[in-house]
Amino acid sequence: MIIDCHGHYTTAPKELQAFRDKQIAGTDDPGPLNITDDQIRETIEKGQLKMQQDRGSDLTIFSPRAAGMGHHIGTAKTSEIWTNHCNDLIRRVVKIFPKNFIGVAQLPQTPGVPPANCIPELEKCVKEGFIGCNLNPDPSGGKWTDPPMTDKKWWYPFYEKMVELDVPAMVHVSMSCNPNFHTTGAHYINGDTTAFMQFIMSDIFKDFPTLKFIIPHGGGAVPYHWGRYRGLAQDQKRPPFSELVLKNVFFDTCVYHQPGIDLLTKVIPTDNILFASEMIGAVRGIDPETGHHFDDTKRYIDKAPISDADKKKIFEGNVKKVFPRFEASYAKNNK
Amino acid sequence: MIIDCHGHYTTAPKELQAFRDKQIAGTDDPGPLNITDDQIRETIEKGQLKMQQDRGSDLTIFSPRAAGMGHHIGTAKTSEIWTNHCNDLIRRVVKIFPKNFIGVAQLPQTPGVPPANCIPELEKCVKEGFIGCNLNPDPSGGKWTDPPMTDKKWWYPFYEKMVELDVPAMVHVSMSCNPNFHTTGAHYINGDTTAFMQFIMSDIFKDFPTLKFIIPHGGGAVPYHWGRYRGLAQDQKRPPFSELVLKNVFFDTCVYHQPGIDLLTKVIPTDNILFASEMIGAVRGIDPETGHHFDDTKRYIDKAPISDADKKKIFEGNVKKVFPRFEASYAKNNK
């Protein structure tokens, strides 16, 4: 089984954006969102499901569009209503295509509001079969005004709930509203790099030994600068990474060229790498150097100079370990 | 000749920080700064010069401590007085050790003040033999409140002067005052990544065909995600990188492990790579995996699977091309 741990519903029916546009215009609750099962079926069959089949993956861990989370828009109430609708669509995708998708929840974060306010939504989603969540380290959208992810008062109550429910979070920023940061080219990658650095300078995983984070986009800049990070931690007398982060932090394979994947699989222990493509996502074109889609990351893993056993871990085994609810939820969705 | 294009005076005599502390406490001009030539000689001989000799490089392109620029502290006047002193120390280091150091200027940037206010300092320094400058894309220190580097009204007048004087800039942020961003582990790398993405989405190099930037720290996350950046640019119908940025943007080799340097030299054209170590800088320890200093980057280049001709370009030729004033200034300093 080949599991893509990072896919978003970027092809949702246009009614969703129309609803959101009304929220952006100032209406917290623009009323019911009418999207039919047929619409969902069509957008998935022509989109993510077709790509799974074309590229040879079996299942996508699926969440609402990351850039669309837009936690900085409106109030906590706006965010709650928006998140309910976005997660409901994921629930319906999983219900229609239980063999091909399993849910990860968006959270109703809001800048200036402690993430503990997301606990009810997380509990509801997990009860419905979701197996993780996307956690935004910067709900302000590029202003970085809230405390770091290692701040005990701000974040720990939410982590307690994650640990209790046994769900990991993918650390994923949303749209940038800061003109300095291109959303998918700078803000996403910076968010990944920033979170890793916060983690290695803190005792967060001493406090929560079973808390798990996936850092997407191949871990931002981290694997490329693995020597820098090992050196910075060592200079600060931090424990070795095996003890400090490697039981808790995992990198996905959303790196869109062969040399990047080769570096990732060379420097990061295999147990810490999860297959992902983020299709249909940030980069949609075909690489003229290969003739294949940039984000067809399965091809890079297939070609990486690692053993078949390691590839199987990356494609399947590690995902099942990092998402402890995967097996039971998948079985229940398909019974 | 082996030229390290990225070194800072991180070992300056303690009087410099004492002066700065008075500025931070609120005194714009704490009076004269008394540092003797003997003090300068001692800090350099025991520090950067010793490391050049130990590691086998010949000359460092030298500038004030990057984290110390602290453009967010005080007013434009504070920044001007501070910058004068910092650059004066570099001028004196170069005068004492003209074979081993050549100057790059700090700029008196201030958040909310257009960078054109730095033109007099740049002109003065270039007249004194400096061959480039460090340009901070975020003078706010991690709040990113000023316009992107591609904003015509804000930045272009300064670029006109750079082009007129024929000096490149290293894009280098300073200390982070945002608790989300570790200075050397997140803010530096994010600044690099952010600037590159700004460049490829703009026509800045159509407007200034001879303008040159060095992106330090191996280009932030960029080479690791080279496929992502090529793909994002292609999706936006931008020209190929050869035309869009590769005549204008260069990456240094401050990547502190062999796999990172191997990736850099594999994906980035040799003509766009400049040797650098940033010693004595962010990472000071010895890598237990190699027994050598993490930031002894010459070893990684020596071992990289590229030709000797390519190594010579990285160690010397490219630096002389990117810093057009290098040869004349070096000759004048040593006559």
Side-chain angles (χ1 to χ4, degrees):
Chain A
M1 192 180 208
I2 292 181
I3 305 170
D4 183 335
C5 81
H6 185 183
H8 304 293
Y9 195 8
T10 49
T11 56
K14 63 181 190 316
E15 284 80 357
L16 184 67
Q17 190 55 45
F19 179 96
R20 184 58 163 171
D21 288 342
K22 288 182 198 154
Q23 281 201 317
I24 293 169
T27 310
D28 269 354
D29 190 353
L33 172 61
N34 294 313
I35 290 177
T36 65
D37 281 0
D38 279 346
Q39 284 180 289
I40 293 176
R41 205 169 278 119
E42 191 188 352
T43 56
I44 294 289
E45 279 174 354
K46 287 187 180 163
Q48 286 83 356
L49 185 63
K50 181 174 183 312
M51 286 210 176
Q52 281 183 8
Q53 289 160 349
D54 289 351
R55 298 179 181 186
S57 68
D58 299 299
L59 179 137
T60 302
I61 298 182
F62 208 50
S63 59
R65 190 169 70 98
M69 299 188 296
H71 294 122
H72 61 283
I73 292 167
T75 63
K77 190 70 193 166
T78 323
S79 205
E80 185 190 318
I81 293 167
W82 171 237
T83 299
N84 280 174
H85 282 297
C86 290
N87 285 337
D88 189 52
L89 285 178
I90 298 300
R91 194 185 49 73
R92 293 172 64 192
V93 169
V94 173
K95 196 168 178 206
I96 299 173
F97 301 100
K99 283 200 175 328
N100 301 98
F101 297 92
I102 195 163
V104 151
Q106 175 175 321
L107 296 170
Q109 292 176 255
T110 299
V113 177
N117 84 320
C118 302
I119 290 175
E121 181 70 19
L122 182 67
E123 286 184 315
K124 173 173 162 278
C125 288
V126 169
K127 200 176 284 180
E128 290 173 345
F130 287 62
I131 60 171
C133 60
N134 292 331
L135 194 59
N136 186 344
D138 171 34
S140 76
K143 296 179 178 168
W144 293 91
T145 46
D146 278 352
M149 292 187 82
T150 50
D151 186 278
K152 294 188 184 196
K153 200 173 154 207
W154 198 258
W155 292 95
Y156 274 26
F158 186 76
Y159 299 154
E160 283 164 16
K161 184 54 68 174
M162 282 174 59
V163 165
E164 182 197 318
L165 295 172
D166 213 6
V167 292
M170 178 171 278
V171 178
H172 205 311
V173 296
S174 185
M175 180 195 312
S176 162
C177 60
N178 184 325
N180 281 285
F181 302 132
H182 184 280
T183 295
T184 53
H187 192 42
Y188 278 22
I189 306 294
N190 293 352
D192 306 334
T193 308
T194 299
F196 184 80
M197 193 64 208
Q198 292 176 4
F199 293 152
I200 67 172
M201 288 295 147
S202 87
D203 289 328
I204 180 172
F205 302 120
K206 204 182 266 181
D207 295 335
F208 295 103
T210 63
L211 185 64
K212 290 188 181 69
F213 292 110
I214 300 129
I215 302 190
H217 321 110
V222 172
Y224 175 49
H225 285 287
W226 198 236
R228 184 179 191 89
Y229 290 101
R230 286 194 292 111
L232 285 167
Q234 181 178 291
D235 282 359
Q236 295 302 314
K237 316 266 185 261
R238 307 291 304 155
F241 279 4
S242 55
E243 187 183 322
L244 183 60
V245 281
L246 291 175
K247 289 176 200 129
N248 308 89
V249 173
F250 303 84
F251 302 98
D252 82 8
T253 65
C254 293
V255 179
Y256 297 157
H257 64 153
Q258 189 70 47
I261 290 290
D262 289 350
L263 177 130
L264 174 69
T265 54
K266 181 163 195 170
V267 305
I268 303 299
T270 303
D271 287 346
N272 293 78
I273 304 174
L274 308 188
F275 173 63
S277 68
E278 203 173 1
M279 63 90 174
I280 301 168
V283 179
R284 304 195 176 189
I286 288 172
D287 186 347
E289 293 184 8
T290 64
H292 299 290
H293 284 90
F294 281 104
D295 65 357
D296 187 356
T297 54
K298 181 168 170 294
R299 289 178 177 275
Y300 311 133
I301 312 289
D302 285 341
K303 284 194 193 162
I306 53 174
S307 71
D308 285 349
D310 279 351
K311 287 177 192 173
K312 197 168 155 52
K313 278 185 174 182
I314 292 172
F315 282 133
E316 178 176 1
N318 295 341
V319 179
K320 291 182 177 175
K321 278 197 302 192
V322 174
F323 291 87
R325 303 183 80 97
F326 178 91
E327 303 256 30
S329 181
Y330 185 75
K332 193 172 171 197
N333 292 344
N334 284 283
K335 83 169 174 205
Chain B
M1 191 179 210
I2 292 180
I3 305 169
D4 183 335
C5 81
H6 185 184
H8 304 292
Y9 195 7
T10 49
T11 57
K14 64 182 188 316
E15 285 80 356
L16 184 66
Q17 191 56 46
F19 180 96
R20 184 58 163 171
D21 288 342
K22 288 181 197 154
Q23 282 200 316
I24 293 169
T27 310
D28 270 353
D29 190 352
L33 172 63
N34 295 313
I35 290 177
T36 67
D37 281 359
D38 280 347
Q39 285 179 289
I40 292 176
R41 204 170 280 119
E42 191 187 351
T43 56
I44 294 288
E45 279 174 353
K46 288 187 179 164
Q48 287 82 356
L49 185 63
K50 180 172 184 312
M51 284 212 179
Q52 281 183 8
Q53 290 160 349
D54 288 350
R55 298 180 181 185
S57 68
D58 299 299
L59 180 136
T60 301
I61 299 183
F62 207 51
S63 58
R65 190 168 70 97
M69 298 189 298
H71 294 123
H72 60 283
I73 291 166
T75 64
K77 189 72 194 163
T78 322
S79 204
E80 186 191 318
I81 293 167
W82 172 236
T83 299
N84 281 173
H85 283 296
C86 290
N87 285 336
D88 189 53
L89 284 178
I90 298 300
R91 194 184 50 72
R92 292 171 66 191
V93 169
V94 173
K95 196 168 178 204
I96 299 172
F97 302 100
K99 284 201 175 326
N100 301 98
F101 297 92
I102 196 163
V104 150
Q106 176 174 321
L107 296 170
Q109 292 176 255
T110 299
V113 177
N117 85 318
C118 301
I119 290 175
E121 182 69 20
L122 181 67
E123 285 183 317
K124 173 173 163 278
C125 288
V126 170
K127 199 176 283 180
E128 290 173 347
F130 287 62
I131 60 171
C133 59
N134 292 331
L135 194 57
N136 185 345
D138 171 34
S140 76
K143 295 178 179 168
W144 293 91
T145 45
D146 277 353
M149 293 188 81
T150 51
D151 185 280
K152 295 188 183 196
K153 201 173 155 206
W154 197 258
W155 292 95
Y156 274 26
F158 186 76
Y159 298 155
E160 283 164 16
K161 184 54 68 175
M162 281 175 61
V163 166
E164 183 198 316
L165 295 172
D166 213 6
V167 292
M170 180 170 277
V171 178
H172 206 310
V173 296
S174 184
M175 180 195 314
S176 162
C177 60
N178 184 326
N180 281 286
F181 302 131
H182 184 280
T183 294
T184 54
H187 192 41
Y188 279 21
I189 306 295
N190 292 351
D192 306 334
T193 308
T194 299
F196 184 80
M197 192 64 208
Q198 292 176 3
F199 294 152
I200 65 171
M201 288 293 146
S202 86
D203 289 327
I204 180 173
F205 303 120
K206 204 182 265 182
D207 295 334
F208 295 103
T210 64
L211 185 64
K212 290 188 181 68
F213 292 110
I214 300 128
I215 303 191
H217 321 108
V222 173
Y224 175 49
H225 285 287
W226 199 236
R228 185 180 190 88
Y229 290 101
R230 287 194 293 109
L232 285 167
Q234 181 177 292
D235 282 359
Q236 296 301 314
K237 316 267 186 258
R238 306 291 305 156
F241 279 5
S242 55
E243 188 184 320
L244 182 61
V245 282
L246 291 175
K247 290 175 197 130
N248 308 88
V249 173
F250 304 84
F251 301 98
D252 82 8
T253 65
C254 293
V255 179
Y256 297 155
H257 63 152
Q258 189 71 47
I261 290 291
D262 290 351
L263 177 130
L264 174 69
T265 54
K266 180 162 196 170
V267 304
I268 304 298
T270 304
D271 287 347
N272 293 78
I273 303 174
L274 308 187
F275 174 62
S277 68
E278 203 173 1
M279 63 90 173
I280 302 168
V283 178
R284 305 195 175 189
I286 288 172
D287 186 347
E289 293 183 8
T290 65
H292 299 290
H293 284 89
F294 281 104
D295 65 357
D296 187 356
T297 54
K298 181 169 171 293
R299 289 178 177 274
Y300 310 134
I301 314 288
D302 285 340
K303 284 194 192 163
I306 53 174
S307 71
D308 285 350
D310 279 351
K311 287 177 191 172
K312 198 169 154 50
K313 278 186 174 181
I314 291 172
F315 281 133
E316 178 175 3
N318 295 342
V319 178
K320 291 182 176 174
K321 278 197 302 191
V322 174
F323 291 87
R325 303 183 80 97
F326 178 91
E327 303 257 30
S329 182
Y330 185 76
K332 194 173 172 197
N333 292 345
N334 284 285
K335 84 169 175 205

